């Protein structure tokens, strides 16, 4: 113990630390530094649970393995890598208190966004668009993976295609800010150890059966020689009969049978004929998956396009909000309600039971590769050799350049976000009961059910937009929309040009 005098009175005591104290202090500092180093290393390798890593730091995972772990967690759990992602659009995290709206819309996907935009632009009405997810765009949502710089979808690849003029006019309304560009999609699959075109075309048949078909006439003859007519003329009872009536026994076995089992967890004969009727069969060498007039992708990504659609003074976007938790607080504040979620969830209290859906588990990986992992953006695996149905490599879209590449394996499952309604008689019967409840809700409470999940029907993107436009017209009496309207007939009725595609675009 020492003393020193401050010059202002009594001396002040100064207690010097003992040696044992100094040792303990140094050890404590070492442990803190060591713990910090361990945490830093775990973060670098991506081994820290995502819930304890701030979103601002999650974007900065510096190792490839760390970035891969962050991405794998995001696609597995359907979570955005940043906490919220609105594509630059102003959004809210809470619904404004006491504010009233002409329309309240549940879901910020295609159906919800299109209807909100029409109410805002055409009728100058206010809309509240809310989504339980923390991003806009629904299942179309895409983002730039921060480590590789590659733009990818969170919920599987989405390829836009349509022959509907009205829909094409609609999506290109914002062409100067969120342009769409031509993209012709091609898919191949591993069949008998060979990488061959899917849908089936002349090259597929020649490769599988060592044949030498030269043109459409010969392909038509070959198909006719193998096709198995449905039990009832012009009416196939199920997906198996439909497939065999189009491609015969062997192609059904090699291309359709196992793939259908993996996709739906049901035998093809248990599913509606529409399941395999949707899959095209070519009688030429055309390798494209779609044959629609317009085949495009948004060059800045779907999320940026959605941000432009929803960017209007009359639209409030609220993310990360569960409608069923705020429904009571919205009573009396919504002139109309548009519900785009699962119809069985809305009427959960009815005790009718759950409609059946198929979902997808995604397994993503990032690897150092300045080239490509596979020959095409999508490679299908129709056979029983692997559990997954396909691998998507996003770098192929618009030939993105990066020192890395991202691949995503897709596994069909019964659990997770609802993607595909299961088309069989039991589900159709149950949905009809929900339809009756929906009609009553519409009449009594002005609640309208719109979109794929609310209609329990698989819509391609163009059909979802078309359906939303039709519902807007039905609800509001077809107001004039010169920016997208097709021509009129002699009686002033709209003539819809083109047809919606029946070939799945979420591939």
């Amino acid at each position: 113990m020492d003393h020193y005098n401050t010059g202002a009175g009594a001396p002040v005591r100064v207690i010097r630390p003992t040696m044992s104290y100094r040792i303990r202090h140094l050890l404590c500092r070492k442990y803190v530094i060591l713990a910090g180093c361990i945490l830093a290393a775990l973060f670098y390798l991506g081994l820290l649970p995502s819930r304890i890593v701030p979103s601002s730091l999650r974007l900065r995972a510096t190792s490839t393995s760390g970035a891969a772990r962050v991405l794998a967690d995001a696609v597995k759990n359907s979570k955005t890598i940043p906490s919220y992602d609105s594509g630059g659009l102003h959004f809210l995290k809470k619904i404004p208190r006491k504010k009233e709206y002409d329309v309240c819309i549940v879901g910020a996907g295609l159906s919800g966004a299109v209807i909100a935009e029409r109410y805002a632009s055409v009728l100058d009405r206010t809309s509240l668009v809310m989504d339980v997810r923390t991003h806009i765009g629904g299942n179309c949502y895409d983002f730039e993976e921060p480590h590789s710089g590659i733009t990818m979808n969170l919920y599987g690849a989405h390829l836009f295609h349509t022959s509907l003029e009205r829909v094409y006019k609609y999506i290109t309304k914002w062409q100067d800010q969120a342009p769409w560009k031509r993209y012709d999609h091609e898919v191949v699959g591993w069949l008998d150890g060979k990488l061959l075109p899917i849908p089936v075309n002349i090259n597929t048949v020649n490769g599988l059966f060592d044949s030498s078909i030269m043109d459409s006439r010969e392909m038509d003859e070959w198909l006719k020689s193998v096709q198995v007519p449905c039990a009832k003329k012009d009416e196939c009872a199920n997906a198996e009969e439909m497939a065999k009536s189009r491609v015969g026994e062997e192609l059904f076995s090699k291309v359709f049978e196992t793939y259908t089992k993996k996709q739906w967890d049901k035998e093809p004969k248990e599913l509606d004929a529409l399941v395999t009727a949707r899959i095209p069969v070519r009688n030429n060498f055309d390798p494209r998956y779609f044959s629609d007039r317009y085949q495009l992708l948004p060059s800045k990504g779907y999320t940026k396009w959605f941000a432009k659609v929803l960017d209007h003074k009359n639209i409030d976007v609220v993310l990360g909000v569960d409608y069923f938790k705020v429904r009571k607080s919205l009573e009396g504040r919504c002139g109309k309600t548009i519900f785009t979620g699962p119809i069985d969830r809305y009427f959960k209290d009815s005790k009718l039971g759950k409609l059946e859906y198929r979902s997808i588990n995604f397994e993503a990986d990032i690897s150092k590769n300045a080239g490509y992992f596979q020959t095409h953006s999508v490679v299908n695996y129709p056979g029983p050799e692997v559990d997954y149905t396909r691998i998507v490599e996003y770098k192929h879209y618009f030939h993105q350049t990066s020192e890395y590449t991202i691949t995503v394996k897709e596994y069909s499952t019964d659990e997770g976000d609802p993607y595909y309604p299961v088309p069989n008689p039991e589900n159709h019967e149950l949905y009809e009961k929900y339809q009756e409840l929906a009609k009553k809700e519409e009449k009594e409470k002005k609640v309208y059910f719109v979109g794929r999940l609310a209609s329990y029907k698989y819509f391609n993107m163009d059909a979802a937009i078309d359906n939303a436009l039709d519902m807007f017209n039905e609800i509001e009496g077809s107001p004039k929309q010169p920016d997208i309207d097709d021509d009129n007939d002699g009686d002033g009725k709209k003539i819809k040009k083109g047809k919606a595609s029946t070939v799945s675009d979420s591939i």
Side-chain angles (χ1 to χ4, degrees):
M1 183 184 299
D2 294 336
H3 296 81
Y4 71 94
N5 198 315
T6 63
V12 177
R13 281 182 166 184
V14 177
I15 302 176
R16 293 186 179 279
T18 64
M19 184 60 69
S20 62
Y21 173 83
R22 290 178 178 177
I23 293 171
R24 288 196 303 274
H25 182 65
L26 287 171
L27 286 173
C28 182
R29 288 181 60 190
K30 281 185 178 181
Y31 286 134
V32 170
I33 293 171
L34 178 61
C37 290
I38 291 171
L39 285 172
L42 290 173
F43 166 69
Y44 180 82
L45 294 173
L47 296 175
L48 285 177
S50 59
R51 65 180 180 277
I52 68 171
V53 181
S55 61
S56 58
L57 293 179
R58 268 182 255 156
L59 295 172
R60 302 175 193 156
T62 51
S63 75
T64 302
S65 60
R69 291 178 186 276
V70 171
L71 179 62
D73 180 69
V75 300
K76 181 180 180 181
N77 297 298
S78 302
K79 299 291 185 183
T80 54
I81 290 181
S83 296
Y84 290 83
D85 190 354
S86 64
L89 174 74
H90 173 72
F91 72 96
L92 305 168
K93 296 181 182 179
K94 292 183 179 180
I95 297 172
R97 293 182 63 186
K98 299 182 180 180
K99 187 173 180 179
E100 297 183 357
Y101 297 91
D102 295 312
V103 189
C104 291
I105 300 171
V106 184
L110 280 171
S111 300
V114 168
I115 288 180
E117 186 276 330
R118 291 289 85 183
Y119 270 107
S121 301
V122 178
L123 299 179
D124 195 27
R125 304 270 179 84
T126 58
S127 293
L128 167 66
V129 179
M130 69 195 91
D131 204 302
V132 69
R133 289 170 168 173
T134 57
H135 61 75
I136 59 174
N139 286 355
C140 298
Y141 169 74
D142 57 12
F143 63 101
E144 182 181 292
E145 192 285 317
H147 186 74
S148 65
I150 294 171
T151 298
M152 62 175 290
N153 295 95
L154 186 62
Y155 306 98
H158 282 64
L159 291 304
F160 191 90
H161 53 106
T162 191
S163 292
L164 286 166
E165 292 293 335
R166 177 175 70 163
V167 171
Y168 177 72
K169 288 179 184 177
Y170 186 83
I171 67 167
T172 55
K173 273 172 51 63
W174 301 269
Q175 194 69 358
D176 58 332
Q177 303 170 63
W180 293 72
K181 292 184 179 180
R182 180 80 186 190
Y183 183 85
D184 291 279
H185 185 52
E186 296 181 18
V187 176
V188 294
W190 284 105
L191 301 167
D192 283 357
K194 299 176 182 178
L195 205 55
L196 297 171
I198 293 177
V200 170
N201 67 10
I202 291 175
N203 283 329
T204 312
V205 173
N206 286 343
L208 279 175
F209 301 108
D210 199 26
S211 54
S212 301
I213 297 172
M214 295 289 291
D215 53 36
S216 296
R217 180 184 61 79
E218 292 183 7
M219 183 64 168
D220 287 339
E221 289 177 356
W222 185 89
L223 285 169
K224 189 175 181 180
S225 71
V226 299
Q227 289 168 343
V228 180
C230 296
K232 292 183 179 180
K233 189 178 180 180
D234 299 326
E235 186 180 343
C236 298
N238 53 57
E240 180 173 331
E241 280 195 9
M242 174 60 76
K244 289 180 179 179
S245 75
R246 302 177 71 210
V247 300
E249 293 274 3
E250 285 194 83
L251 271 180
F252 166 73
S253 176
K254 294 176 185 293
V255 180
F256 291 84
E257 186 172 22
T258 303
Y259 192 87
T260 303
K261 290 177 185 176
K262 289 198 288 187
Q263 181 78 8
W264 298 99
D265 193 29
K266 292 185 185 299
E267 297 290 336
K269 61 186 176 184
E270 298 178 79
L271 296 165
D272 285 357
L274 180 63
V275 171
T276 47
R278 290 160 50 95
I279 304 171
V281 177
R282 304 264 192 258
N283 68 347
N284 51 34
F285 291 96
D286 187 352
R288 300 175 304 158
Y289 202 89
F290 311 116
S291 57
D292 302 87
R293 177 184 293 275
Y294 304 110
Q295 304 183 38
L296 317 99
L297 286 175
S299 61
K300 295 184 179 180
Y302 285 100
T303 306
K304 295 290 186 184
W305 179 79
F306 272 91
K308 295 303 177 186
V309 174
L310 291 167
D311 187 12
H312 196 286
K313 62 181 178 63
N314 288 346
I315 301 174
D316 283 348
V317 175
V318 183
L319 299 177
V321 171
D322 186 341
Y323 167 70
F324 296 103
K325 292 182 179 179
V326 299
R327 178 160 50 174
K328 284 189 176 180
S329 69
L330 288 171
E331 288 180 358
R333 297 168 57 190
C334 303
K336 298 180 180 72
T337 298
I338 308 293
F339 185 79
T340 71
I343 192 170
D344 54 340
R345 173 63 185 90
Y346 185 93
F347 293 111
K348 184 179 179 181
D349 293 342
S350 69
K351 309 297 183 183
L352 285 176
K354 291 187 67 175
L355 289 164
E356 191 177 4
Y357 291 93
R358 291 293 282 172
S359 187
I360 303 174
N361 283 338
F362 300 98
E363 285 189 2
D365 189 37
I366 303 173
S367 58
K368 183 81 172 178
N369 187 343
Y372 295 103
F373 170 80
Q374 59 192 26
T375 59
H376 291 67
S377 58
V378 176
V379 175
N380 284 6
Y381 291 79
E385 300 84 9
V386 294
D387 292 338
Y388 45 86
T389 56
R390 57 188 166 235
I391 297 178
V392 179
E393 186 175 19
Y394 285 93
K395 194 176 183 180
H396 283 275
Y397 298 121
F398 290 139
H399 308 292
Q400 300 179 66
T401 56
S402 173
E403 292 299 309
Y404 304 88
T405 194
I406 293 175
T407 54
V408 181
K409 293 177 180 176
E410 298 186 7
Y411 301 79
S412 291
T413 177
D414 286 328
E415 298 180 358
D417 292 337
Y419 286 90
Y420 304 105
V422 178
N424 60 25
E426 294 79 14
N427 285 315
H428 290 318
E429 184 180 343
L430 178 57
Y431 172 64
E432 288 176 2
K433 296 177 181 178
Y434 280 116
Q435 271 188 308
E436 292 303 314
L437 295 178
K439 290 176 183 177
K440 184 179 179 182
E441 198 81 354
E442 177 182 327
K443 185 177 181 180
E444 296 179 355
K445 299 182 180 180
K446 293 185 179 180
V447 179
Y448 301 87
F449 297 83
V450 185
R452 175 173 55 92
L453 298 176
S455 303
Y456 197 66
K457 180 180 180 181
Y458 184 80
F459 286 133
N460 284 329
M461 289 182 282
D462 68 329
I465 294 172
D466 194 50
N467 175 253
L469 294 172
D470 281 345
M471 286 300 298
F472 172 73
N473 284 333
E474 183 179 321
I475 296 168
E476 297 300 332
S478 298
K480 291 183 178 180
Q481 300 167 65
D483 55 342
I484 63 168
D485 276 344
D486 289 334
D487 296 335
N488 294 333
D489 64 11
D491 296 324
K493 295 179 181 179
K494 300 292 184 298
I495 302 172
K496 188 180 290 189
K497 291 184 178 180
K499 294 181 179 180
S501 177
T502 58
V503 183
S504 176
D505 45 36
S506 58
I507 58 172

